[in-house]
Amino acid sequence: MQWETVIGLEVHVQLATRSKIFSGASTAFGAEPNTQACAVDLGLPGVLPVLNEQAVAMAVQFGLAVHAEIPEVSVFDRKNYFYPDLPKGYQTSQMYHPIVGAGDVEITLDDNTTKRIRIHHAHLEEDAGKSLHEDFHGMTGIDLNRAGTPLLEIVSEPDMRSAKEAAAYLKAIHSIVTYLGISDGNMAEGSMRCDVNVSVRPKGQEAFGTRAEIKNVNSFRFVERAIAFEVERQIELIEDGGKVVQETRLFDPERDETRSMRTKEEANDYRYFPCPDLLPVVLDQAYLDHLRSQLPELPADKRARFQNELGLSAYDANVLSASREMAEFFEEVHRVCGDAKQAANWVQGELSGALNRENLSIQNSPVSAQQLGELIRRVLDDTINGKAAKQVFQALWNGQGESADAVIEAKGLKQVTDTGAIEAMIDQVIAESPAQVAQYRDSEPEKRGKMIGYFVGQVMKASRGTANPQQVNGLLKEKLDALL
Ligand code: ADP
Ligand code: MG
């Protein structure tokens, strides 16, 4: 039997507001436990929530970025349940009238093909506190700092058909929210987490199978692994005559498996009702137009422009538009050097390699975009050759010079293109290598091309890497062939 996987994601994005969604308490990460939850976050008697306007603006910006309908009216509801990290006894969320309606996102797969994933809706809600199980033997600690932090929950349609597509979707959402600057997207700190809904069905069958929901997966890699495990579990279960039950499961990255947490609750278990403390949110057209006019160029548009206007390959365009920082760095390098292909090669090659080796992000690159652009310009105008360029890059990386020109000057790396000077070096190398010259002379003509490498290396060395390699090649061949 052939099986098809069906996946829908609910992504929780922590919005980068300075204060909470309904109070003035700080949202800063890493504070001492329970120092950043105020009376409103705890739902103490007599307090009233006030909606954070910034959170509304951020949610709407997201909606506009994914081509969503933005309804004129949205409403906050109470989702009632008991848990120690929720002292209010309910989470303020949006059940029936979310702030963002249906939209879609373009994802890019490994083979650079794209696919549209529909978004069902996105709604605003508050985060709960955090239970701390380590460090408290036989007890659980509760940190309420996170209570009331604004979240945007983005709910996809079940449009993904593989773990790879799910990871690509999560990456696309990550790109969009970080381009917009509405979230720091820091998955390790929990700024983006997702619930993964997975089901399988026989290939060709239209009706969806019963799904399991894997809660709180917090990395791209874990999403893929959790799905891979879950798909296998469900197929085995069905093939052995069993049935998938709709339930909530937990992914355990250490054991690489999912485990049942609880059977799925129904919406009416939560006794949703409109929050009497908050007014409906009403957005007018002028407000939407204003926010639309503030949108930055988004990843999909950038990718298309890099391909269509700058002539980059689909692969290059994809890599360079994946993060806003990367895209801006590349664009600055391109602006300075004027050659998109070279800029793309250097940013993805030498620069990314060095950043990866030292585990640095591009924002912390020791070589600035301006410096790299000027370096490439010196390769393009033949001031230096490719080999010297790498030396200049290293020197800039190590802080041994303010600019490419300064390094070229200080290290004497200017390319030697003076034919006389190159010829003199060649003559010297030939004079000092009688054995290799004899070998060259005695070898078959078609093998000589290969042997020339030895001489090129010696001449380049004699010039301390500064001779123009094409000239060296051409002149050497002439001189050696003259000896035949
Ligand atoms: P709930 O309200 O119980 O969380 P929803 O119908 O809102 O359920 O769906 C939640 C998520 O589950 C959505 O992202 C949706 O795309 C996904 N989903 C729904 N049905 C399936 C299915 N059969 N297989 C995989 N994902 C599904
Ligand atoms: Mg759900």
Side-chain angles (χ1 to χ4, degrees), residues 80-138:
N80 299 281
Y81 68 96
F82 169 82
Y83 204 72
D85 65 15
L86 188 79
K88 291 166 72 169
Y90 61 87
Q91 178 194 32
T92 308
S93 181
Q94 296 184 313
M95 177 64 181
Y96 302 107
H97 301 283
I99 188 157
V100 173
D104 59 67
V105 166
E106 185 181 272
I107 64 168
T108 306
L109 303 166
D110 283 347
D111 61 1
N112 291 311
T113 56
T114 57
K115 175 174 174 180
R116 285 209 168 269
I117 305 296
R118 290 168 303 154
I119 287 176
H120 181 272
H121 78 270
H123 64 261
L124 279 168
E125 63 185 27
E126 62 181 337
D127 208 345
K130 217 170 159 176
S131 303
L132 308 169
H133 302 291
E134 288 140 35
D135 307 333
F136 297 94
H137 302 287

Side-chain angles (χ1 to χ4, degrees), residues 6-10 155-158 197-199 208-209 211 264:
V6 173
I7 303 160
L9 256 50
E10 296 160 278
V155 181
S156 83
E157 293 286 355
N197 295 272
V198 183
S199 66
F208 288 143
R211 73 189 144 116
K264 176 85 183 162

Side-chain angles (χ1 to χ4, degrees), residues 382 385-386 415 422 456 460 467-476:
D382 281 331
N385 63 34
Q415 179 159 241
I422 293 176
V456 173
M460 290 307 289
N468 176 298
Q470 288 84 26
Q471 278 174 291
V472 171
N473 252 300
L475 290 169
L476 251 173

